[in-house]
Amino acid sequence: MKAITTFAEMVAYLESFTNLERQVDNYTVRTYRLDRMEKLLAHLGNPEQSFRTIHLAGSKGKGSTASYLAAALSANGEKTGLFLSPHLRDYRERFTLAGEFFSDAVLIEVGNHLQTSLTSFSFSDEWGAALPTTFELFCAYAYLLFAHAGCTWAVIETGLGGRLDATNTLAPVASLITPIEIEHTRILGSTLAEIATEKSKIIKTNTPLFISYQQPEVMEILLAEAAHKGAPVYRLDEALFALDSTTGEAGERVHYLWNDGRSETLLLEMRGSVQALNSALALLVLRTLDLATPATPSAISKNRLPGRFQQISSTPATFVDGAHTTESLSQLLNSFSSLYPKERTTIIYGALLDKEHESMVRSVLDHSNHVIISRPGTYKESDIQSLHTLFMSLKAPEQVVELVEDNTEALKRAQAVTDEAGAILVCGSFYLAGGIADILASKERGDEFKLA
């Protein structure tokens, strides 16, 4: 067995296993299951039991909410691991110390430990021997990294769903469920009720449950599961009297009015109205669990996460955001329009299969007169030709919609048609946002990049 010598080799090794992140269907008990993950963690010495955890599921806001929590815990002096997915540009974004990358030396050392341990791991079921999946190994790798670093806390985001997600082997201090929408219908179900049921299964017996704003049928399912498990429930809609935010050049100014009479205002560095909701949920968790300190407001305010209303270039201003559900995209575009009007905004858009395409396309057209459709990477399946056809059928006569498959050419085209006072927004997929961000980072390094 050849030793791992670089982090790139580590990623290649983990991706050599079955990578369910590339799939959009086949939610089978052979591939999605918890017993294999449980056995893997036991084989590794259960590293996830060496620190306290907070576990999150939901359709949108998981990553941002998790990062707020990790930032606040870190500001308290707690060494805090943060496990997120997907990443924007770098796999190291998935497992960090409250947003800070591990050193390459540690990543390689722990990677070799995992690789060596796997040589003596086996799992069999009624279909025969089965290896762990890539995502299961990423989870295990993260837990090993956090244990190696001596983390006292870790904030863990589910990868997909909840019931059969590899992270659902945790025994957390608290469970969080962020807003749930229609998503991943080929895997999680075609209705809100089915999707909510899948995600509700992260609720643990007698473990505090924190619920963000939800549609009524979703809330009903979550409350029923919590009652069944005897989980104490803390609802954001019952804790907050009012929540208002304004997007500005300096960030997102949020005013929170709590039902206990507390009133406060924070200026979040992460812009967008969705961050008001995400930060409010994080604050509710921290205060309820008696984890808030005088350092908490500043930690929340200064927290950042790649790919969330992130400006990556100027002249013209260029932003990337991973919003990929109907409501998150709508909220992003509404916030963005407060900075840049429709007439000055060029949107580079791409979306994977298994999305509510018509509603998302209508939202994009409501906020830009020039849309460039580009491929959201090759990691997962997409159909940008069909997407282009849908845009063309819904656009107004004065609106321009172009199909430019290559991300580099799409960016060049957007820069050519956007004036200096305008802005480019890349959205619809983390994979598209990451692709454009990579291109601009390459340009800043001096690699060849010429406008068409």
Side-chain angles (χ1 to χ4, degrees):
M1 179 179 60
K2 182 181 177 182
I4 292 167
T5 59
T6 67
F7 180 64
E9 290 177 2
M10 178 65 204
V11 171
Y13 170 67
L14 295 182
E15 287 206 318
S16 69
F17 293 79
T18 301
N19 196 338
L20 299 178
E21 287 188 347
R22 295 180 182 269
Q23 296 182 197
V24 296
D25 51 17
N26 295 324
Y27 197 44
T28 68
V29 295
R30 182 82 204 278
T31 51
Y32 292 88
R33 58 194 302 158
L34 297 183
D35 53 351
R36 183 175 55 229
M37 184 65 179
E38 289 167 347
K39 186 170 182 180
L40 172 62
L41 292 175
H43 181 74
L44 296 172
N46 289 112
E48 80 287 356
Q49 295 179 7
S50 66
F51 42 80
R52 290 173 287 178
T53 57
I54 296 175
H55 193 205
L56 299 91
S59 300
K60 63 177 183 178
K62 296 192 303 294
S64 296
T65 304
S67 72
Y68 285 127
L69 290 167
L73 289 167
S74 180
N76 292 352
E78 303 282 356
K79 184 165 280 191
T80 307
L82 178 61
F83 179 67
L84 305 175
S85 61
H87 59 280
L88 184 71
R89 295 182 52 221
D90 191 320
Y91 263 109
R92 288 174 293 182
E93 296 167 25
R94 295 184 177 226
F95 17 77
T96 64
L97 291 172
E100 297 294 324
F101 286 174
F102 285 91
S103 70
D104 281 356
V106 169
L107 290 167
I108 293 166
E109 178 185 353
V110 174
N112 277 304
H113 170 63
L114 176 58
Q115 179 181 247
T116 300
S117 298
L118 287 174
T119 60
S120 57
F121 175 74
S122 64
F123 178 85
S124 296
D125 54 25
E126 59 267 39
W127 296 285
L131 293 171
T133 67
T134 293
F135 187 74
E136 288 168 352
L137 291 173
F138 273 130
C139 288
Y141 182 46
Y143 300 160
L144 287 170
L145 284 167
F146 300 158
H148 180 277
C151 286
T152 52
W153 281 91
V155 186
I156 310 294
E157 173 190 15
T158 55
L160 177 68
R163 180 173 63 94
L164 297 178
D165 190 81
T167 63
N168 203 26
T169 53
L170 296 170
V173 170
S175 306
L176 277 68
I177 300 186
T178 64
I180 291 175
E181 292 184 55
I182 295 288
E183 59 161 352
H184 302 299
T185 53
R186 295 186 184 181
I187 295 176
L188 300 180
S190 59
T191 67
L192 264 180
E194 290 174 325
I195 294 168
T197 298
E198 287 290 330
K199 294 179 186 290
S200 75
K201 299 306 179 182
I202 73 159
I203 299 171
K204 300 295 189 296
T205 301
N206 300 325
T207 300
L209 170 67
F210 295 85
I211 307 176
S212 187
Y213 290 0
Q214 304 288 352
Q215 297 187 48
E217 63 179 303
V218 171
M219 184 66 78
E220 182 179 349
I221 289 168
L222 300 182
L223 293 178
E225 182 68 18
H228 176 67
K229 297 286 182 62
V233 175
Y234 302 91
R235 294 171 52 169
L236 188 59
D237 62 349
E238 293 180 344
L240 270 176
F241 180 78
L243 181 67
D244 300 299
S245 70
T246 304
T247 306
E249 291 290 344
E252 193 74 16
R253 186 169 297 279
V254 186
H255 179 66
Y256 314 80
L257 181 58
W258 301 91
N259 274 328
D260 63 4
R262 185 195 306 262
S263 178
E264 61 188 320
T265 300
L266 295 181
L267 180 62
L268 307 178
E269 292 196 10
M270 286 205 290
R271 283 175 285 201
S273 61
V274 294
Q275 299 305 339
L277 195 64
N278 298 333
S279 61
L281 182 61
L283 286 167
L284 175 63
V285 173
L286 292 163
R287 287 172 178 153
T288 303
L289 299 180
D290 199 25
L291 296 171
T293 70
T296 297
S298 177
I300 296 288
S301 295
K302 294 178 180 179
N303 181 55
R304 290 185 177 185
L305 194 62
R308 277 72 172 179
F309 208 144
Q310 180 186 7
Q311 184 168 359
I312 57 173
S313 186
S314 57
T315 318
T318 304
F319 299 80
V320 295
D321 194 285
H324 58 277
T325 67
T326 299
E327 184 60 27
S328 61
L329 182 64
S330 176
Q331 290 187 24
L332 165 68
L333 293 168
N334 287 335
S335 295
F336 195 81
S337 65
S338 66
L339 295 179
Y340 298 96
K342 179 178 183 177
E343 296 74 20
R344 291 186 176 274
T345 298
T346 303
I347 292 179
I348 303 176
Y349 182 81
L352 302 175
L353 294 178
D354 214 17
K355 301 293 179 183
E356 290 190 296
H357 290 293
E358 183 171 337
S359 58
M360 294 171 72
V361 166
R362 289 186 185 277
S363 189
V364 170
L365 290 171
D366 283 343
H367 292 86
S368 177
N369 284 334
H370 201 132
V371 180
I372 299 170
I373 301 164
S374 194
R375 183 173 297 283
T378 57
Y379 195 78
K380 284 188 175 182
E381 193 176 358
S382 62
D383 185 350
I384 58 173
Q385 286 76 22
S386 294
L387 198 57
H388 178 254
T389 300
L390 180 58
F391 266 100
M392 294 300 291
S393 70
L394 296 175
K395 78 176 189 70
E398 69 275 10
Q399 291 181 299
V400 176
V401 176
E402 302 180 73
L403 178 60
V404 183
E405 181 171 339
D406 180 77
N407 290 175
T408 299
E409 296 305 315
L411 178 59
K412 290 178 180 178
R413 178 60 180 157
Q415 291 176 334
V417 301
T418 307
D419 64 44
E420 292 186 0
I424 299 168
L425 173 63
V426 184
C427 58
S429 164
F430 266 105
Y431 303 105
L432 176 62
I436 297 295
D438 271 339
I439 292 164
L440 282 170
S442 176
K443 178 186 176 185
E444 290 177 0
R445 290 195 301 267
D447 299 345
E448 184 176 355
F449 181 89
K450 298 179 181 178
L451 282 176

